[in-house]
Amino acid sequence: DGGITQSPKYLFRKEGQNVTLSCEQNLNHDAMYWYRQDPGQGLRLIYYSQIVNDFQKGDIAEGYSVSREKKESFPLTVTSAQKNPTAFYLCASSTGTGPSYNEQFFGPGTRLTVL
Amino acid sequence: AQSVTQPDIHITVSEGASLELRCNYSYGATPYLFWYVQSPGQGLQLLLKYFSGDTLVQGIKGFEAEFKRSQSSFNLRKPSVHWSDAAEYFCAVVPSGGYNKLIFGAGTRLAVHP
């Protein structure tokens, strides 16, 4: 079955540690995205990538980094510079031409908790 | 400022009752419009979308939404709610010319009473 997988489902981090969240898709989508979700704030865009080896900052990129070495993979690293990293992280992807390019499909999410 | 507003944070309805969830946006030109649903601890599932054409769009799970340009609104409706519809609902917008950048509302949490 085609879809987006995120791992791990739950992640605990000590303050000062970097952690990497995995996102893999087998939908053959060109574009991939990372969002952060906090209660009562909807989703906010961290980074996005429209093509392999290229990515752009979203609205809240500070304290995060990404790479896009393969079409199917878009890992997110939460660095120690992120001051409040406890949140639910969602990965998404999209493809198509015209307006359909904006239709994003989401993974199941990773809940990160800083201890 | 450009934004997406979902005025209702929480809504409670009885099973079998009708439902309307409100969404307003503040972009000048007609954007692309989406409704997503999220069950607790899960990812988002697309319910329906509007790009152009007929302003009444049908989605999955018996949902529909109507785009009203004069009111800058894209309200989600369902004629008869089921207990399984309890979830959080997000309206999202891609501003015209804002190539694949989804802007989300804060969400409306729906509770369904038996």
Side-chain angles (χ1 to χ4, degrees):
Chain A
D1 290 338
I4 302 174
T5 57
Q6 292 186 242
S7 61
K9 187 172 179 61
Y10 299 97
L11 185 58
F12 299 90
R13 189 195 92 173
K14 294 181 180 179
E15 286 191 14
Q17 286 183 335
N18 293 354
V19 290
T20 297
L21 283 60
S22 170
C23 177
E24 304 277 333
Q25 55 98 0
N26 61 3
L27 301 168
N28 199 33
H29 285 178
D30 291 311
M32 297 185 74
Y33 314 80
W34 274 106
Y35 292 90
R36 171 181 170 137
Q37 185 177 21
D38 297 280
Q41 295 192 43
L43 280 71
R44 293 180 290 169
L45 183 64
I46 305 172
Y47 268 97
Y48 66 102
S49 168
Q50 296 178 12
I51 197 168
V52 174
N53 292 323
D54 185 54
F55 49 83
Q56 289 79 40
K57 293 181 179 179
D59 299 318
I60 55 165
E62 184 175 354
Y64 300 97
S65 65
V66 294
S67 63
R68 187 84 188 277
E69 298 177 358
K70 298 185 295 182
K71 186 176 184 178
E72 59 271 23
S73 178
F74 191 41
L76 173 74
T77 296
V78 184
T79 75
S80 56
Q82 169 50 235
K83 297 178 180 178
N84 184 22
T86 294
F88 192 51
Y89 291 86
L90 288 158
C91 179
S93 68
S94 70
T95 193
T97 58
S100 292
Y101 197 91
N102 301 288
E103 183 176 337
Q104 297 183 17
F105 296 83
F106 285 81
T110 292
R111 184 167 298 281
L112 172 64
T113 303
V114 174
L115 304 174
Chain B
Q2 297 180 328
S3 65
V4 179
T5 302
Q6 294 181 245
D8 305 304
I9 298 174
H10 292 99
I11 283 183
T12 300
V13 300
S14 298
E15 192 169 16
S18 63
L19 172 70
E20 183 170 27
L21 302 182
R22 296 181 290 166
C23 174
N24 295 93
Y25 61 90
S26 62
Y27 301 94
T30 301
Y32 301 138
L33 299 158
F34 304 83
W35 275 100
Y36 284 88
V37 61
Q38 183 181 35
S39 298
Q42 301 298 317
L44 275 67
Q45 181 182 21
L46 180 68
L47 285 175
L48 46 77
K49 62 195 176 193
Y50 174 78
F51 294 153
S52 64
D54 191 348
T55 56
L56 184 64
V57 293
Q58 303 297 319
I60 63 170
K61 304 186 179 187
F63 286 92
E64 66 177 26
E66 185 172 13
F67 168 59
K68 293 186 177 180
R69 185 190 309 273
S70 61
Q71 298 177 19
S72 296
S73 70
F74 188 55
N75 293 350
L76 181 71
R77 302 194 295 244
K78 186 169 185 178
S80 178
V81 172
H82 188 262
W83 63 266
S84 61
D85 293 324
E88 189 152 23
Y89 292 80
F90 292 95
C91 179
V93 165
V94 174
S96 178
Y99 185 59
N100 79 2
K101 184 176 180 180
L102 270 174
I103 310 297
F104 284 85
T108 297
R109 184 168 297 278
L110 173 66
V112 180
H113 280 178

